[in-house]
Amino acid sequence: PADGLATDQSQLSYSFDFSGSHFVVINTDPVGDDGHAPVVWLSNDLAAAKARGMQHMFVFGHKPAYTYYFGADATAPNPDHPAGLDNDPTSRDAFWSVIEQYNATYFCGHEHIYHMSQPTKDQGGKAWQVLVGSGGSPFEAAPTDATVNPQTDRDYAWATVSVHRSGNVDIKVYGFNDQFGPTQILQSAILPQ
């Protein structure tokens, strides 16, 4: 197999088109190769979607490409404790290169916290990673953690994506705090075309 996997992934990584947008679901934990995305398969899939005229690419996986370091060491990521695809930075970089190449947006979970970012923005990257892992499980960030975003690190969150006829794509993340306060917009962005 192109990604060097020993098991059949055809039921675990798949895609479909809808109204000019392409949606991809990937398995980030194939048997024997946890924390790795099917980079070759994804690249081929997104190339075929682009050739069919798909304008927007949305990729969904379990593990984040870039761990969100929300605790006291958040300003200096701790390479000893990556939670996602960054367990293997070379493989993660290959995956993220495909995400950037096709201007895709990557939705993930695994960490039980909310965080939306452009991980490679300082290197000219435009792609977004939307980590929405705070749907109901205990929060990754404890109330006593020195969090990066204390206003949202302990919020229950969900994201909505609107694809407009104009071609613009808006993403809005809504949530409410751990005291079940009012629902509010936590973050919004207009995705690059």
Side-chain angles (χ1 to χ4, degrees), residues 8-82:
D8 177 19
Q9 299 294 300
S10 62
Q11 300 293 312
L12 301 171
S13 292
Y14 57 92
S15 64
F16 60 92
D17 300 335
F18 180 76
S19 197
S21 294
H22 187 64
F23 298 85
V24 184
V25 176
I26 60 169
N27 179 16
T28 60
D29 290 305
V31 172
D33 205 15
D34 284 355
H36 288 84
V39 175
V40 174
W41 180 89
L42 180 63
S43 181
N44 292 338
D45 181 79
L46 294 178
K50 185 173 183 175
R52 289 192 305 276
M54 295 301 106
Q55 298 297 307
H56 309 287
M57 312 288 180
F58 303 103
V59 179
F60 299 81
H62 179 71
K63 288 192 174 163
Y66 292 86
T67 297
Y68 174 42
Y69 294 97
F70 56 85
D73 64 348
T75 58
N78 183 349
D80 295 333
H81 302 318

Side-chain angles (χ1 to χ4, degrees), residues 127-153:
W128 287 88
Q129 173 177 278
V130 184
L131 173 60
V132 190
S134 59
S137 295
F139 292 115
E140 197 89 12
T144 56
D145 284 343
T147 59
V148 174
N149 297 302
Q151 303 304 317
T152 60
D153 282 350

